[in-house]
Amino acid sequence: AAGVIQSPRHLIKEKRETATLKCYPIPRHDTVYWYQQGPGQDPQFLISFYEKMQSDKGSIPDRFSAQQFSDYHSELNMSSLELGDSALYFCASSLGLGTSGGGIRNEQFFGPGTRLTVL
Amino acid sequence: LAKTTQPISMDSYEGQEVNITCSHNNIATNDYITWYQQFPSQGPRFIIQGYKTKVTNEVASLFIPADRKSSTLSLPRVSLSDTAVYYCLVGGESSYKLIFGSGTRLLVRP
């Protein structure tokens, strides 16, 4: 079965540079979520989109922005990168307000992540 | 969103049953309980979800007492590949973001 695709898988940037992470959700999924997981930390919710509109916002720095496009893929844009931005960035997708097979509510399917290293 | 409390770590041996209990004293009426599993450097993976009583699927069982202030994830006959971090999440239909607390790091020994 098709899974969530993230690119690139690894990214190395210098401080103050910019980075763009891409996420391609599972076909027919209309909701995309972004999570950040620092070394030894638990995943932290950043932002989500439902039907191309921002649906929720978490602890996302102002230096970061994101959007969901007409084909439902999403991009996370990160500017003025800092050393503390080094982390795994996961994208997840779901059927949004509906339920998946078996009546599971809001089952989110995670991608393999993008490992961002800021030097 | 209800706060959850889980043991930081647990050790087990192959073939044993593992039970991980999560406390969520402030669970709301419309909240459901979901467990995710995460292997190192991989995204979390849905394991099981329930609202009350007992739910069982091909990988785990979830026990929820009548007051719903706690839940127990039961993994039957664990193997080395079950070594992972297990997260208990509580949420309702009004919020779709997943709030990960401190999960339980399960180590399965041979």
Side-chain angles (χ1 to χ4, degrees), chain B residues 33-51:
Chain B
I33 301 152
T34 310
W35 286 77
Y36 277 78
Q37 173 193 55
Q38 186 179 28
F39 298 113
S41 298
Q42 294 187 28
R45 185 176 71 101
F46 171 92
I47 301 176
I48 197 166
Q49 183 184 85
Y51 182 80

Side-chain angles (χ1 to χ4, degrees), chain A residues 37-57:
Chain A
Q37 186 170 27
Q41 303 293 312
D42 305 304
Q44 298 294 315
F45 171 75
L46 292 179
I47 195 166
S48 63
F49 294 87
Y50 168 65
E51 282 292 344
K52 292 153 279 184
M53 299 288 288
Q54 181 181 307
S55 55
D56 210 339
K57 195 171 182 179

Side-chain angles (χ1 to χ4, degrees), chain A residues 6-13 21 87-88 112-117, chain B residues 41:
Chain A
Q6 291 188 245
S7 68
R9 294 294 309 279
H10 301 272
L11 191 57
I12 299 175
K13 291 286 185 178
L21 279 53
L88 264 171
T114 294
R115 183 175 296 280
L116 172 66
T117 302
Chain B
S41 298

